[in-house]
Amino acid sequence: MKILITGGGAGFIGHNLAIYFISKGFDITVLDSLERSTDFAVNRLREHGIPIIKADVRSFSDCNGFDVVVHAAAYVSVPESMERPVDYIENNVVGTARVVHECGRLVQDYLPELCGGLWKPNQVANS
């Protein structure tokens, strides 16, 4: 089964998920802008022979040939989201909509990564 991990595939959770899938025998490709990835994550992907497509999830347009898409792209800093809400909406909402639209008819499954920043509301207001 061919799995594509879109945006965030070279992030902390995405790269660990890719390595796990490889260990289970799946054919994995990672798509990531590499904007917020670490050298550690990128090097681990390369060590495991996982191809990395450098692209932005907001302009993603080709999930053809993949059976499953795991969408892992998200900005997650709560304080930063308060300072740059439009950037967060473009990346997290528009980027997700783009992936769903492009892959909706072409893949067997779409799996959004359901993780994000956790915070107490009063910490955000006081930061």
Side-chain angles (χ1 to χ4, degrees), residues 83-114:
E83 296 166 8
R84 299 175 38 208
V86 173
D87 292 339
Y88 273 66
I89 291 167
E90 286 177 356
N91 188 72
N92 297 359
V93 178
V94 175
T96 298
R98 179 74 176 185
V99 171
V100 170
H101 173 76
E102 294 296 329
C103 296
R105 294 170 292 150
L106 299 174
V107 298
Q108 293 175 13
D109 289 302
Y110 165 81
L111 176 64
E113 184 182 287
L114 300 175

Side-chain angles (χ1 to χ4, degrees), residues 43-63:
N43 289 337
R44 286 192 73 209
L45 290 167
R46 290 183 177 142
E47 288 168 7
H48 286 83
I50 299 170
I52 302 169
I53 300 169
K54 184 178 178 187
D56 192 307
V57 70
R58 291 168 284 191
S59 58
F60 177 71
S61 63
D62 188 13
C63 58

Side-chain angles (χ1 to χ4, degrees), residues 78-79 82 118-127:
V78 175
M82 304 291 279
L118 299 176
W119 69 95
K120 294 179 183 175
N122 61 349
Q123 288 178 325
V124 174
N126 295 328
S127 45

Side-chain angles (χ1 to χ4, degrees), residues 1 12 19 24 31-32 38 49 63 75 80 103 106 112 114-115:
M1 179 175 295
F12 176 75
I19 291 167
K24 298 299 180 187
L31 181 140
D32 199 304
T38 63
C63 58
Y75 291 163
E80 184 183 56
C103 296
L106 299 174
L114 300 175
C115 283

Side-chain angles (χ1 to χ4, degrees), residues 5-18 29-46 50-54 72-73 113:
I5 301 177
T6 65
F12 176 75
I13 295 172
H15 94 273
N16 281 296
L17 189 59
T29 299
V30 162
L31 181 140
D32 199 304
S33 69
L34 304 179
E35 172 188 0
R36 296 181 179 214
S37 61
T38 63
D39 290 340
F40 175 77
V42 171
N43 289 337
R44 286 192 73 209
L45 290 167
R46 290 183 177 142
I50 299 170
I52 302 169
I53 300 169
K54 184 178 178 187
E113 184 182 287

